[in-house]
Amino acid sequence: MKSHSRKINGRSARKGFTLAELMLAISIGSLVIAGATFSLNLWARSSVSLGNYTDMSGSCRRALDVFASDVRMANGVSSSTASGFTFTAYDSTNSTVTVSYDYDTVTKELTRTYDGTSQVLLDDVSLFGFSYFDLNRTATTNALSVKEVQIEAILQRAVLTIDNTDEIISARFMLRNRRVSS
């Protein structure tokens, strides 16, 4: 059987690594693996955050589009509170329907009820409020004088230990078909 050692200057030398070389290689390998793990974790968290922002932004745009369409056809206001807005509006057949927008602080959802059919427009809403304005563009709480409506909301979703937030401050939507006196 052949030996794996050879003679150098009268001493036998074995092929292989010393303990110090092995420890150095393991240390360097551990640093590389730790760096790769950190980078992968950061990349995954960033990807999820980007998805959250995209989803929240899209749902906000869709909700505001639906709200704008409904409010512009409003002809009467039944209720105007900070967390709810109920009004009558013309539908596609020129009949009137009742439309209601309500924010639930427990479920953190904004729900639209159109002629008895409910649909969640926004979820993960941590803060929400309606603001109302009269014909002179002065803030009002009187349902009889509401001519414009504005929405403010903050959507919030968690990614591991970080919260992603998206804030809405809408333009004022005018109730075009509603007659009010100054």
Side-chain angles (χ1 to χ4, degrees):
M1 188 178 235
K2 210 173 194 185
S3 171
H4 288 299
S5 61
R6 59 188 174 142
K7 294 254 183 194
I8 299 177
N9 294 336
R11 296 173 31 189
S12 80
R14 289 192 180 156
K15 291 183 180 179
F17 298 105
T18 65
L19 182 59
E21 290 171 331
L22 282 175
M23 289 177 63
L24 181 63
I26 290 171
S27 298
I28 292 172
S30 297
L31 287 174
V32 169
I33 289 173
T37 302
F38 176 76
S39 295
L40 183 63
N41 187 8
L42 186 62
W43 175 79
R45 189 181 323 181
S46 296
S47 295
V48 172
S49 291
L50 179 62
N52 277 344
Y53 285 124
T54 302
D55 186 46
M56 287 187 294
S57 181
S59 63
C60 288
R61 278 193 309 276
R62 286 186 295 279
L64 289 174
D65 285 347
V66 170
F67 183 76
S69 177
D70 288 344
V71 167
R72 289 184 180 127
M73 297 306 293
N75 62 355
V77 175
S78 307
S79 171
S80 56
T81 66
S83 62
F85 184 43
T86 304
F87 54 93
T88 55
Y90 295 111
D91 66 5
S92 59
T93 64
N94 220 18
S95 301
T96 57
V97 294
T98 301
V99 183
S100 179
Y101 286 83
D102 295 295
Y103 172 64
D104 187 337
T105 57
V106 176
T107 62
K108 298 187 180 296
E109 296 175 334
L110 176 65
T111 304
R112 170 190 185 238
T113 304
Y114 185 89
D115 201 23
T117 304
S118 294
Q119 163 192 15
V120 174
L121 289 183
L122 293 174
D123 56 1
D124 300 319
V125 182
S126 62
L127 184 67
F128 186 86
F130 285 110
S131 299
Y132 305 98
F133 303 89
D134 62 16
L135 193 57
N136 298 320
R137 298 186 171 216
T138 306
T140 185
T141 55
N142 182 357
L144 297 174
S145 65
V146 172
K147 185 66 176 174
E148 294 178 345
V149 182
Q150 183 174 346
I151 295 175
E152 293 184 43
I154 296 177
L155 280 67
Q156 189 171 21
R157 293 189 182 157
V159 177
L160 301 174
T161 59
I162 299 172
D163 287 334
N164 299 144
T165 58
D166 192 14
E167 186 171 354
I168 305 171
I169 300 176
S170 73
R172 293 183 187 175
F173 297 101
M174 184 174 286
L175 286 71
R176 293 180 183 165
N177 296 308
R178 177 140 199 259
R179 297 198 188 281
V180 294
S181 59
S182 56

